[in-house]
Amino acid sequence: MSETIINAKVNGEPIRMSVEPNQTALHLIRDELGLTGAKAACEEGRCGSCTIILDGETINACLVLAPELDGRDVMTIEGLAHDDRLNTVQEAFIDAHGLQCGYCTPGMILATSALLAEAPDADEHKIREDLSGNICRCTGYVKILDAVLLAQHRLSKQGATP
Amino acid sequence: MSQVMDDKMFRVVGESIARVDAREKVTGKLIYGSDLSLTGQLVGKILRSPFPHARIVRIDTSAAEAVPGVRAVITAEDTPCLKYGFQSAHRPDLADKMMLEAEKVRFVGDEVAAVAADTELAAIEALQLIDVEYEILEPVFDPFAAMEPGAPLVHEDTPDNVIDRFEYGTGDVERGMAAADIIVEGSFYSSRVHPLAMETHQALATWDASGRLTVYASTQMPFLLRLHLAGVLGLSEGDIRVIKMAMGGGFGGRMEMHSLDPIAAILARKSGRPVKIVYSRTEEFIASRFRHPIWMKGRLGAKSDGTLVAFELDMVTDSGAYVAQAAGVNRVGAVNAMTLYRIPNTAVTSRIVYTNNPYASAYRGYGNPQANFAIESLVTELAAKSGIDELELRISNGNVPNSETYLGQVIESCGYEECIREGAIAIGWYEKRGKRLINGSKVRGLGVATAINVGGGARDQGDSDSSGAIIIMQDDGSVTLNTGGQEIGTGGHTVLAQIVAEELGVSVDRVHIHASDTDLMPWDIGSHAQRSVFCSGNAVFEACQEAKRVLLSEVSRQHEVASEDVELRENAVFVRGFNQPLSSIEEIAYGAHFRSGGQLIWGKGFYDPPTVKTDDKGRGHKSGAYSFAAQFAEVEVDLETGRVEVISMVGAHDVGRAINPAGVEGQIEGGILQGIGQAITELLVVDEGEVLNPKMHAYGVPSTADSPTIQSLIVESADPEGPFGAKGVGEITVVPTCAAITNAVFDAVGVRISSLPISPESVLDGLSSDEIIRERGG
């Protein structure tokens, strides 16, 4: 099988790698880059545990092939915090107890960050719709929604986006 | 072990502090079992039977072995060919599974062979080249057909396919029914639903040069995994080290050894390399365990004043191809149904049947959700038939503090009535009950269901229900807690850290917990039966007392102050009544052994609850404490489509004391949504032995878009045996949910749904029945 060389940016750092044509972005990120925050929980694009941000959009990394990353900008959960300072959404998930086992949490936080950046005034209905691509089995979503609302509130006070 | 219950204020206990591992989780840094890699590790994959029932005639692995990158191919011949079964320690007949089958395959997905290769691609290619010749055998899929004479035998040594049967009873149920003024009866069916933990099963096995096996496993019960691995590999427990990894959800699905665990070990031994096997999501649906489908027939008899006098239940369980934990599941269901109310005359008959379906096992609730569905449906029916208010009916027949059930469970704390009353207020029971028509085509209704469950462990697994803990204070005054108590995503470790912080006066962030290595940690049977806070917590509390005694003796020695005058808080030592600390705790700890005649500030605890194993009649005080709950559902039924939507739910749960209230609420909320899933959206569809929907998008797991408002209420009944009065909550939260929902449908439209999941067709059928039309004035 022929390999391709890709040049991309991952969490702000340039990478240059040889990738297989049938390798997913998810496995490239996890197995080759050691960024295991994105999870291979369903690998059919349903659960959102593999959520990454590709050129500013949230996507399921299990549905993108590694060669498609060439020339593009990738952010994973590991790229969210700066020098040990968690971002507002991460803090809100901790403070509002929006996590239990934590397996869906990276994807949920990235999806929330993207949602609040795009629609800072989202109401509960829109929040539920937009997060419906991120499955959690532990929480019943109650405290996840609390966390999103808390993040939303804190961001509006700061006049900031996540 | 009891602590005095009064209104003393605690510093940390009772606070909703953040999870101790929250930071690792929100940064994606936590390493779960499926994230771990070892140098040189190979990819392991399992070849599974495509047939539900077949004899293995011949396996030829030569082509597979020739694939470049393949390092080992194994079949049953490479294994000791020993059978295993989770409950086989006291029931050898329940050991019926081999890690790789040698003679027969018994379900679609049964394990036949396995490979380990450098790459996933090479492993997949090799699997495809393993040549298996099968002789197809006639399968049986229906448990009732399986019990008929002449049915195909799933296991030749079980001539009627009934692997387990029992009869439990109290009093005289015939006389009880004869004396009843009102009797209701019904047939009920509880469906196959999958725990669907977000992380699939995986195992990573490696051998060292001295022949010792290490398995990195996301398991709820590392010591039992070690025991069962030893059994099936023909090793001694001391030859095996289980390192328990963080897991993406357990829910009971990670209680038992699965074939992939010893298969990884054998592949690692044959190849000389570490081998990691990770299930795909499809494989997870096909080849891991799920809730037992159970067919139930129940009868409930009462006096005209509502006193329950007799209860009968028959349970037929489709275990699938192997028995796993079915024997325990039905017994737990039976005992809980018999003791939910104070009914003097009860009888439960149970048969567990082999079929060639995929096989079920432990999933949160463990038989209680199924049996509860039957009895709580019957109680609501009885209330309707007798005209007695169904809340009062439940309360007047329900359990009370400081009593004993007819099966000998000693109930000390009991907040059953409070759960019902507070939950009723929260859902708006009195305002909203009755058929409420909304915009002409939708009707809303309210339903209730209640539950009992073990709340402090259960002596079900090989007679052990104990927990050990070791506390060591480090030189800087931080504390290492070495415990067998497991964190499976529920927040158990946060609670243990709170206990240590409370007792030793250190801040929670200075408590470091190690609970992952069977070589190092003291015995703990593991996380199941709502025992982590109760049993592990009591062991930790005891270890803290011993460490505290040493610590206080050291304070006395360093500062010539009497122990009883000393307070521990804020990582420091205070003389009672003084605001300035006498010393930092660091100085005490350091000074304890950096001297001649030194001592180490440490302590150990071991807690075994004062309980017994359930006997063969279902009797016995089996748990350190019992949990109670009442759940209320508001549903909306669409009269045109038959579709049922859950609008909101309230879960009121008696937890003794909430050491971490947010943690308790999280368990209630998550459990309720799993119950809603079983009632409305989820189903593992099995037809002709095949899982037809082994895909997450086809399974029906609820998302934010289809989950309702869930309100959690904590009732605190202060248990005298639990640490700080706490009892467990992890399983009971999914127990009464389905009955609460179907009871709400009954309130809304008068239709009794007795089969899960609720299908629109069954609602429409019920609506079109003559009785309902008459009732609605049509």
Side-chain angles (χ1 to χ4, degrees):
Chain A
M1 193 167 307
S2 63
E3 294 178 338
T4 326
I5 304 286
I6 61 161
N7 290 283
K9 230 203 258 176
V10 177
N11 295 331
E13 300 289 325
I15 61 148
R16 178 185 161 81
M17 301 194 68
S18 144
V19 304
E20 303 278 338
N22 67 336
Q23 188 179 18
T24 62
L26 177 62
H27 281 286
L28 177 74
I29 287 163
R30 283 178 56 80
D31 303 337
E32 317 253 359
L33 298 178
L35 298 167
T36 54
K39 306 300 185 194
C42 80
E43 297 197 87
E44 51 177 277
R46 171 60 185 111
C47 75
S49 297
C50 65
T51 301
I52 60 173
I53 301 194
L54 185 60
D55 288 342
E57 306 263 356
T58 50
I59 56 116
N60 290 318
C62 68
L63 295 179
V64 175
L65 293 174
E68 293 179 62
L69 295 180
D70 188 37
R72 303 179 76 177
D73 203 309
V74 177
M75 184 157 76
T76 70
I77 186 70
E78 291 87 349
L80 217 53
H82 293 291
D83 302 321
D84 274 357
R85 268 184 42 242
L86 303 177
N87 88 350
T88 305
V89 176
Q90 288 170 308
E91 296 271 12
F93 268 77
I94 295 178
D95 294 343
H97 311 280
L99 57 96
Q100 289 185 29
C101 82
Y103 210 68
C104 76
T105 304
M108 199 66 79
I109 285 175
L110 287 170
T112 298
S113 297
L115 159 64
L116 294 179
E118 180 232 333
D121 299 316
D123 64 8
E124 186 177 322
H125 179 77
K126 173 144 173 78
I127 292 170
R128 281 178 174 277
E129 286 285 309
D130 273 27
L131 292 184
S132 63
N134 289 78
I135 299 296
C136 170
R137 195 52 167 165
C138 294
T139 64
Y141 302 110
V142 177
K143 289 178 170 26
I144 286 178
L145 291 166
D146 287 349
V148 176
L149 293 172
L150 179 62
Q152 184 180 53
H153 171 75
R154 287 177 174 174
L155 285 167
S156 78
K157 271 175 60 183
Q158 293 164 18
T161 48
Chain B
M1 164 70 54
S2 67
Q3 295 86 48
V4 173
M5 282 297 103
D6 58 22
D7 285 324
K8 173 178 113 158
M9 286 292 288
F10 299 112
R11 275 173 291 106
V12 180
V13 162
E15 296 298 309
S16 291
I17 65 162
R19 294 282 181 107
V20 294
D21 49 14
R23 207 181 162 90
E24 287 175 280
K25 289 172 175 171
V26 300
T27 55
K29 294 284 173 63
L30 183 64
I31 299 293
Y32 297 80
S34 47
D35 299 327
L36 184 68
S37 287
L38 296 179
T39 309
Q41 89 183 14
L42 301 174
V43 175
K45 287 223 177 284
I46 298 172
L47 183 69
R48 299 183 177 284
S49 166
F51 303 114
H53 201 195
R55 200 162 301 285
I56 299 171
V57 175
R58 184 186 54 83
I59 308 181
D60 182 352
T61 61
S62 51
E65 287 167 51
V67 171
V70 167
R71 304 292 170 189
V73 182
I74 63 169
T75 65
E77 278 178 5
D78 297 280
T79 76
C81 287
L82 295 168
K83 292 188 184 179
Y84 71 89
F86 188 78
Q87 285 157 338
S88 56
H90 48 281
R91 285 278 304 273
D93 60 315
L94 299 183
D96 60 358
K97 179 84 183 80
M98 288 183 14
M99 70 174 99
L100 291 171
E101 295 298 329
E103 318 240 321
K104 269 184 28 160
V105 291
R106 298 176 178 85
F107 76 102
V108 175
D110 211 345
E111 292 92 9
V112 175
V115 310
D118 292 346
T119 64
E120 187 172 12
L121 210 53
I124 292 172
E125 200 180 326
L127 278 191
Q128 289 167 350
L129 291 174
I130 298 176
D131 182 18
V132 184
E133 187 184 327
Y134 292 102
E135 178 204 328
I136 309 276
L137 300 172
E138 196 195 327
V140 60
F141 301 120
D142 175 88
F144 295 94
M147 290 191 277
E148 293 291 314
L153 295 187
V154 180
H155 294 261
E156 277 70 25
D157 55 7
T158 310
D160 58 356
N161 285 320
V162 177
I163 178 58
D164 178 274
R165 40 167 59 86
F166 67 85
E167 288 178 16
Y168 284 172
T170 59
D172 182 339
V173 81
E174 297 297 333
R175 277 181 52 188
M177 288 294 179
D181 299 319
I182 311 165
I183 295 178
V184 291
E185 58 188 28
S187 296
F188 302 92
Y189 172 73
S190 179
S191 51
R192 284 187 185 88
V193 285
H194 198 281
L196 202 72
M198 290 306 292
E199 184 187 26
T200 61
H201 281 76
Q202 92 300 320
L204 172 50
T206 183
W207 298 78
D208 67 20
S210 69
R212 234 176 148 236
L213 169 67
T214 299
V215 177
Y216 297 84
S218 294
T219 170
Q220 296 175 221
M221 334 259 293
F223 284 102
L224 277 196
L225 178 60
R226 183 180 72 174
L227 179 69
H228 294 147
L229 279 170
V232 81
L233 293 171
L235 298 174
S236 177
E237 281 177 79
D239 298 330
I240 300 174
R241 183 180 184 198
V242 172
I243 296 184
K244 179 254 176 208
M245 303 294 297
M247 67 183 69
F251 312 121
R254 290 190 145 94
M255 259 178 89
E256 62 193 63
M257 181 176 76
H258 286 58
S259 289
L260 91 167
D261 298 306
I263 286 173
I266 301 273
L267 284 171
R269 186 161 64 190
K270 193 166 183 188
S271 65
R273 304 262 292 271
V275 172
K276 183 171 176 188
I277 302 178
V278 182
Y279 279 5
S280 68
R281 180 55 64 183
T282 296
E283 205 169 3
E284 182 79 8
F285 278 117
I286 288 171
S288 68
R289 313 283 83 79
F290 48 86
R291 195 180 290 303
H292 287 87
I294 307 184
W295 287 257
M296 294 165 283
K297 281 186 166 29
R299 289 177 84 211
L300 185 64
K303 296 302 228 181
S304 51
D305 69 355
T307 306
L308 298 176
V309 292
F311 171 63
E312 274 183 287
L313 185 70
D314 179 67
M315 307 169 77
V316 170
T317 294
D318 176 358
S319 184
Y322 299 95
V323 70
Q325 298 195 50
V329 163
N330 270 32
R331 284 170 173 74
V332 165
V335 167
N336 279 303
M338 293 162 80
T339 57
L340 177 56
Y341 299 102
R342 288 171 291 119
I343 308 176
N345 306 294
T346 59
V348 177
T349 49
S350 159
R351 282 164 295 171
I352 292 167
V353 190
Y354 280 137
T355 65
N356 292 112
N357 287 319
Y359 67 110
S361 197
Y363 172 20
R364 200 176 198 173
Y366 204 84
N368 198 1
Q370 297 98 314
N372 183 280
F373 180 60
I375 188 170
E376 282 299 83
S377 300
L378 288 172
V379 170
T380 292
E381 290 289 316
L382 189 80
K385 195 167 175 182
S386 65
I388 295 176
D389 174 271
E390 63 173 307
L391 299 187
E392 299 306 324
L393 183 69
R394 286 180 164 88
I395 290 168
S396 60
N397 286 285
N399 288 293
V400 296
N402 303 309
S403 62
E404 192 171 308
T405 71
Y406 287 100
L407 285 178
Q409 285 96 8
V410 176
I411 293 174
E412 293 181 293
S413 68
C414 176
Y416 182 73
E417 179 174 353
E418 290 86 336
C419 287
I420 293 175
R421 297 214 183 277
E422 290 181 28
I425 293 169
I427 196 92
W429 181 264
Y430 298 102
E431 303 88 67
K432 295 189 204 166
R433 276 276 286 183
K435 301 155 183 54
R436 292 169 294 127
L437 198 63
I438 313 277
N439 62 42
S441 67
K442 295 189 183 186
V443 184
R444 288 199 179 180
L446 291 194
V448 64
T450 65
I452 185 174
N453 201 80
V454 294
R459 201 168 291 278
D460 282 334
Q461 309 303 355
D463 267 345
S464 175
D465 201 9
S466 49
S467 296
I470 301 172
I471 294 271
I472 302 173
M473 184 165 276
Q474 305 294 334
D475 294 345
D476 66 348
S478 66
V479 176
T480 306
L481 167 59
N482 182 1
T483 173
Q486 296 306 305
E487 167 65 69
I488 65 168
T490 52
H493 277 186
T494 304
V495 165
L496 297 183
Q498 285 178 263
I499 292 175
V500 175
E502 186 72 45
E503 287 305 297
L504 297 182
V506 299
S507 49
V508 169
D509 64 357
R510 306 196 82 221
V511 179
H512 303 116
I513 301 181
H514 293 276
S516 34
D517 190 333
T518 55
D519 271 2
L520 298 175
M521 59 189 176
W523 170 267
D524 187 303
I525 186 84
S527 181
H528 81 110
Q530 298 198 177
R531 67 182 301 283
S532 296
V533 163
F534 192 93
C535 297
S536 307
N538 269 332
V540 169
F541 184 86
E542 193 180 305
C544 286
Q545 303 318 303
E546 191 171 283
K548 199 184 337 191
R549 275 192 293 277
V550 181
L551 175 58
L552 293 176
S553 78
E554 185 60 27
V555 172
S556 291
R557 193 198 65 81
Q558 288 184 22
H559 291 278
E560 292 177 358
V561 60
S563 298
E564 52 270 22
D565 296 332
V566 172
E567 271 179 8
L568 304 170
R569 60 177 199 271
E570 299 162 40
N571 300 306
V573 177
F574 293 79
V575 174
R576 207 178 298 281
F578 286 79
N579 285 331
Q580 288 301 107
L582 184 63
S583 163
S584 72
I585 208 151
E586 179 170 355
E587 283 162 16
I588 307 294
Y590 189 93
H593 65 87
F594 274 101
R595 62 177 171 89
S596 59
Q599 61 178 345
L600 183 60
I601 299 175
W602 62 341
K604 66 186 194 311
F606 188 76
Y607 178 73
D608 200 345
T611 57
V612 300
K613 211 165 133 61
T614 303
D615 71 12
D616 60 4
K617 289 280 164 257
R619 290 178 308 233
H621 176 53
K622 66 183 288 193
S623 183
Y626 299 89
S627 297
F628 300 91
Q631 291 185 359
F632 293 80
E634 180 175 8
V635 305
E636 185 171 277
V637 182
D638 188 320
L639 298 174
E640 288 167 8
T641 65
R643 207 172 149 264
V644 173
E645 190 185 333
V646 178
I647 303 299
S648 74
M649 282 207 71
V650 168
H653 283 260
D654 167 25
V655 299
R657 180 184 305 272
I659 293 181
N660 189 312
V664 170
E665 290 165 4
Q667 288 299 295
I668 295 172
E669 291 149 8
I672 283 179
L673 190 61
Q674 288 185 342
I676 292 172
Q678 177 164 20
I680 311 279
T681 60
E682 295 178 38
L683 183 64
L684 197 68
V685 181
V686 178
D687 185 53
E688 300 288 298
E690 237 187 295
V691 176
L692 296 187
N693 61 337
K695 293 283 184 196
M696 187 139 358
H697 69 263
Y699 172 73
V701 57
S703 72
T704 48
D706 44 25
S707 61
T709 309
I710 300 171
Q711 187 185 352
S712 46
L713 297 178
I714 295 174
V715 169
E716 290 184 313
S717 60
D719 190 81
E721 187 69 19
F724 299 95
K727 301 186 282 194
V729 72
E731 291 187 80
I732 192 174
T733 57
V734 77
V735 169
T737 318
C738 287
I741 292 169
T742 55
N743 285 339
V745 171
F746 182 68
D747 179 56
V749 293
V751 172
R752 168 54 56 190
I753 301 297
S754 52
S755 183
L756 297 171
I758 301 169
S759 74
E761 291 82 6
S762 60
V763 173
L764 291 175
D765 281 348
L767 286 170
S768 65
S769 82
D770 290 340
E771 207 176 293
I772 301 296
I773 290 175
R774 261 202 308 278
E775 209 178 304
R776 286 180 52 224

